[in-house]
Each structure stands twice: as structure tokens, then as C-alpha cells.
Amino acid sequence: MERKIALVTGATSGIGWSTALTLAGMGFDIIATGRREQRLKELSEALPEGTRFLPLVFDVRDREKVLEILGNLSEDWNKIDVLVNNAGNAHGMDPVQTGNLDDWDAMIDINVKGLLYVSKEVIPGMTERKSGIIINIGSIAGKEVYPNGNVYCGSKHAVDAITQGMRIDLNPFGIKVIGIHPGLVETEFSEVRFKGDSERAEKVYQGYEPLLAQDIAEIVEFVVNRPRHVVLADIVVLPTAQAAATLVNKQN
Ligand code: NDP
Ligand code: 8X3
């Protein structure tokens, strides 16, 4: 059987890390990206033995670098079957009137423009081969807006709209485009959002059972495993304790 290739952005932690491991377990060759080179080395050591692995270190905001690196993949790596656009984060959680411009730039540049830059390089191979699966990791924040979520919610609403747009434009090519929109997943997400304030970050996941990165990876596995004629186009996945972005049944 011909080996298949999956590219996972933001594979140095959380959802991307678990997704890369899961796809490797399914037999995919893995291209994993992120800014933290050491973490990619650790990921390579955690992969099942024999996995073909290509770590790529770049910041998805760096348009020239993204295009250069992904545009010059070698013959044995450039036929990407599954693209998981996962790299992203929230930066800050302030009301719009006191929001920080650097945080806004980061969220728009990483979550929206970074996803577009990566997709821009990967899509032509898929249209040429008339096959492929693109999975965009959105968020409940792309389906609802919550207090102080303003720009993060805006970036994830953009991911939702771009996902729908991709599905329409890529429809003639038989490419599956899937949006996965998680609620609260315990990862490094809140640590990043609250700029290293671990105590505040930990509180986000206390008093109920949050999703784990592996829960999202298993959904990726499920959607990738569907037969050719089936696409789970849009999936919202929440912890059972969560009913809406800000409604969580906490026990303490
Ligand atoms: P983590 O903080 O654990 O992981 C974020 C990943 O994105 C890291 O691998 C990080 O790699 C990468 N990343 C961030 N900024 C950049 C950048 N500028 N260039 C390249 N890579 C970058 O968080 P999660 O796993 O939770 O987040 C993954 C995705 O899931 C995000 O898009 C997030 O918005 C979404 N999400 C998360 C939820 C949650 O509750 N955790 C819920 C809903 C959606 P590195 O730092 O090495 O560059
Ligand atoms: C991450 C989940 O609830 O902070 O996208 O928006 S939330």
C-alpha cells in the first residue's frame, strides 16, 4: 500500500501533538510543524517506531518562510494527503476597549493568516491529484462570542468562514474540508492566553472534566477513516459539563 502523508501544524503541544501521534499510529508519514524545535525532537522520539517523520520549524506568521519551506518540499514529502491546520492560540482576554494591539495582531496573524499561508502551499497538490482532506481546528469561539473573547472569537469565526469557503471552492476536486470546533480542552492553551499565569490557567480546567487533546485526536482519526463519499463537515465537540462557551457545570 502506498504510504500517506499528514501535515499537522502546531504539533509541539496539545491537540497538534496528540493528533500527530494518532495519525502516525494509523500509519501516516508525519510532517509536524511548530516554533519549538526541541519539542519536535521529543515528538519524533514519541512516534511509533518506523514512522517516517519530517519536523519543520517555522512561525506560521512568517509568510515568506512558510511559502519557501512548504513550497520546496522534496518529492517524497510533497504529496500531502491530510492537512491539519491546528496551530493557534488565544493571546490575552481583555475587553475590547483595553485590548492589546500585539495580542490582536498575534491572534489574527497566527489563527487566520497562518492557516491561509499553510493552506495556500498545500492545496495545489490536492487539486492536482483531486484528493485530500483538510481539517481546520476552529473553536466553540468560532460559533459563539463570549465576554472578553472579542478578537479570539473573531479569529475563530474567520476560521469557520474560511473552512466553509474552502469546502465550496474545493468541491469540484473531491477534497474533503472539515471544521472541528472544540470547547474547553486542557492543553497549554490557557497558559499561553494568560501569558504564563499558571494559577489562572489551571482554574479554567478545575471543577469539571475538560476535554483532553487525545479526545480531539480521536475525532481526527474518525473523520479521516470515513469512506471516500462521506465527510463530517462541521463538528462541535464539548466536555459533557459544558453547554455553551461560558456555561460550564462546575462542581466547586
Ligand atoms: P497549545 O498551546 O497546547 O498548542 C498550540 C500549538 O500551536 C503549539 O504547537 C504551538 O507551537 C502552535 N503555534 C502557536 N503559535 C504559533 C506560531 N506563531 N507559529 C507556529 N506555530 C504556532 O494549544 P491547543 O493544543 O489547545 O491549541 C491548538 C488549536 O486548538 C488552536 O488553534 C486553538 O485555538 C484550538 N482550540 C483550543 C481549545 C482549547 O480549549 N485548548 C478549544 C478550541 C480550539 P509553538 O509554540 O512551538 O510554535
Ligand atoms: C478555546 C476554547 O472557550 O477559550 O478555543 O474559546 S475557549
Side-chain angles (χ1 to χ4, degrees), residues 213-248:
Q214 184 57 26
D215 296 317
I216 310 305
E218 285 171 15
I219 291 169
V220 171
E221 177 175 17
F222 185 76
V223 300
V224 167
N225 267 339
R226 289 312 86 210
R228 194 166 169 77
H229 68 288
V230 179
V231 58
L232 278 103
D234 200 51
I235 300 165
V236 175
V237 49
L238 305 173
T240 306
Q242 184 176 22
T246 55
L247 189 64
V248 182

Side-chain angles (χ1 to χ4, degrees), residues 9 24 40 48 63 77-78 109 139 153 172 191-192 203 210 213 226-227 243:
T9 68
L40 290 175
R63 174 168 137 174
W77 280 110
N78 67 6
D109 289 350
S139 170
C153 294
E191 188 87 20
V192 174
K203 280 209 179 90
R226 289 312 86 210

Side-chain angles (χ1 to χ4, degrees), residues 138-141 146 152-153 156 182-185 189 193 242 245:
S139 170
I140 185 72
Y146 53 80
Y152 179 65
C153 294
K156 288 299 183 177
L184 292 151
V185 190
F189 176 87
R193 168 172 253 178
Q242 184 176 22

